[in-house]
Amino acid sequence: MRSARRTRNLTPAADSDDAACTWTTERILALGATTDLATAAAILGISRSAAYKLAARDAFPVPLFRAGAYYRVPTAPIRRKLHLESPTVSTDGDTGGAGADEDDGYSGGARDTTGCSPPP
């Protein structure tokens, strides 16, 4: 007689998105000034739920701040934690925009220009 329990296939399905979602140095440097907590957790190899628990206890591995209902994580401490070089800032052609970049000061926090975003 067969067991009433269902058996599960323990082998994960091959997902091509996993290879595309690998955090490289270039992708981390392209994030902008801040990022969300889920993205920072993915970069540091922490699960999303653990990241929110650490943030609530003020124990996240890099400094973060709360903006309304959201956590924002500056990318500079992430780069320092991972020992990544900061990109050099060019002053050639500075038009006096007080730090505005080519996206009119957009820090890249609300959109992912790297092609991989964390699941909602």
Side-chain angles (χ1 to χ4, degrees), residues 36-113:
D36 62 326
L37 186 62
T39 302
I43 293 169
L44 296 172
I46 301 170
S47 73
R48 183 179 172 154
S49 61
Y52 279 96
K53 289 176 185 176
L54 289 169
R57 291 189 314 216
D58 199 25
F60 197 71
V62 295
L64 53 87
F65 58 92
R66 191 165 178 124
Y70 302 98
Y71 287 104
R72 300 302 298 168
V73 183
T75 56
I78 295 172
R79 290 191 308 263
R80 279 194 301 272
K81 183 98 172 153
L82 298 174
H83 304 288
L84 298 178
E85 297 277 330
S86 293
T88 57
V89 177
S90 174
T91 57
D92 296 339
D94 190 7
T95 59
D101 56 9
E102 62 271 0
D103 292 333
D104 295 324
Y106 179 74
S107 69
R111 69 176 178 194
D112 181 17
T113 58

